[in-house]
Amino acid sequence: IVPQSVDDVRHAHHLFIVMLRTEMLTISRDEFVLALRAENIGTGTHFRGLHLQPYYRDKYSLQPSDLPSATFTSDRIISLPLYPQMEETARLVTANTGKNLIRHYRK
């Protein structure tokens, strides 16, 4: 799932977050990240549910099941490489590699 553009809003081209439908794949989000890395595409996991961060998890005795929607999202999103000077070829390689991996690991 890719972000949708919004009229009159300009993208900062700082992070490009996608959500994997892991229930439709034979691998987890983390395994997908490793598969991208094997293809020389780095990713990030910039956003984790606050309740999953060690400080808050421990201080408030939180479990992943306490906030299921946040956990669901946290377990599925990744940041793909994107920056203002990124060349079109690199963007296409990233997108096509991701699509190919999804096809390969589709249930």
Side-chain angles (χ1 to χ4, degrees):
I1 301 171
V2 298
Q4 301 299 309
S5 60
V6 178
D7 291 340
D8 300 324
V9 174
R10 197 170 124 196
H11 197 292
H13 299 290
H14 170 59
L15 295 173
F16 191 78
I17 311 299
V18 297
M19 184 179 336
L20 298 172
R21 293 180 175 162
T22 54
E23 62 280 358
M24 298 174 71
L25 300 174
T26 59
I27 59 174
S28 69
R29 184 269 316 266
D30 294 340
E31 291 167 323
F32 190 84
V33 165
L34 291 174
L36 283 172
R37 187 179 300 153
E39 298 293 329
N40 295 316
I41 297 174
T43 64
T45 50
H46 290 93
F47 304 106
R48 295 284 296 155
L50 196 60
H51 68 298
L52 302 173
Q53 300 294 337
Y55 174 80
Y56 294 100
R57 180 194 65 215
D58 298 342
K59 181 172 177 68
Y60 299 106
S61 301
L62 296 170
Q63 301 296 317
S65 59
D66 291 335
L67 296 167
S69 293
T71 300
F72 178 92
T73 302
S74 291
D75 289 344
R76 287 162 176 76
I77 59 173
I78 59 173
S79 303
L80 294 175
L82 181 68
Y83 49 93
Q85 294 79 22
M86 189 175 187
E87 294 182 13
E88 181 70 15
T89 303
R91 289 192 302 260
L92 289 172
V93 166
T94 299
N96 289 331
T97 301
K99 288 178 187 178
N100 290 337
L101 287 173
I102 288 169
R103 276 189 221 104
H104 180 75
Y105 291 108
R106 183 170 288 169
K107 285 185 180 175

